[in-house]
Amino acid sequence: MSDETTPKWRKDFPIEWGADNYVTRREFTKFLVLTSGATAIGNSYFVVQRYREEHQKFASQQICRVDEIKPGEAKLFRYPTENDPALLIRLSTGELVAYKQRCTHLSCPVQYRAGSDRMECPCHNGAFDAHTGTVLEGPPPRPLPRITLVVENDTIFARGVEGS
């Protein structure tokens, strides 16, 4: 082509004509719609899982007798399923509390520190108050899920999970 017959825009954008129509607007829009749809469907799985966790019914489970755990001690148990580790703690005040043992940051196991009445996550230096489960320091975004306890005839039972 000569310079006189070539449009000005073609000089500014010297693209080979064969590659000019490689991806059409319709194909690009189709790709965007399909990718967005797949992302929305994938994320809906997590929304449904969260809804099911919040509305789950919990069975009562016996943990131990009151006299088996002394002030300042913790006992590991599994609740509400065998895949959910939890800690029963008898604080230095004698109060009984229980929490899921997974850190709310990246699900590392938290450990009870009796001297300071706090639970610590060794993975990223997160810490929780053993009395309330609230975050004291570190990257955890929310408090530990608390397990509802009931004491009947000197036996401790787990009856539900708050804030899971």
Side-chain angles (χ1 to χ4, degrees), residues 131-142:
H131 293 273
T132 62
T134 57
V135 178
L136 296 175
E137 59 188 60
R142 61 191 174 280

Side-chain angles (χ1 to χ4, degrees), residues 48-109:
V48 169
Q49 285 296 102
R50 179 71 178 191
Y51 178 81
R52 289 173 73 194
E53 285 177 7
E54 289 176 355
H55 294 86
Q56 181 179 7
K57 302 290 182 206
F58 298 103
S60 180
Q61 177 183 321
Q62 181 179 339
I63 303 171
C64 68
R65 296 190 47 79
V66 174
D67 58 1
E68 292 178 30
I69 186 165
K70 295 178 181 21
E73 289 184 351
K75 179 176 178 60
L76 181 64
F77 68 102
R78 299 198 173 272
Y79 186 80
T81 69
E82 282 299 312
N83 297 326
D84 296 311
L87 279 176
L88 170 66
I89 303 168
R90 188 159 197 179
L91 301 169
S92 55
T93 60
E95 178 187 2
L96 291 166
V97 293
Y99 300 98
K100 284 191 172 182
Q101 194 190 16
R102 291 190 178 137
C103 178
T104 57
H105 177 230
L106 292 176
S107 296
C108 293

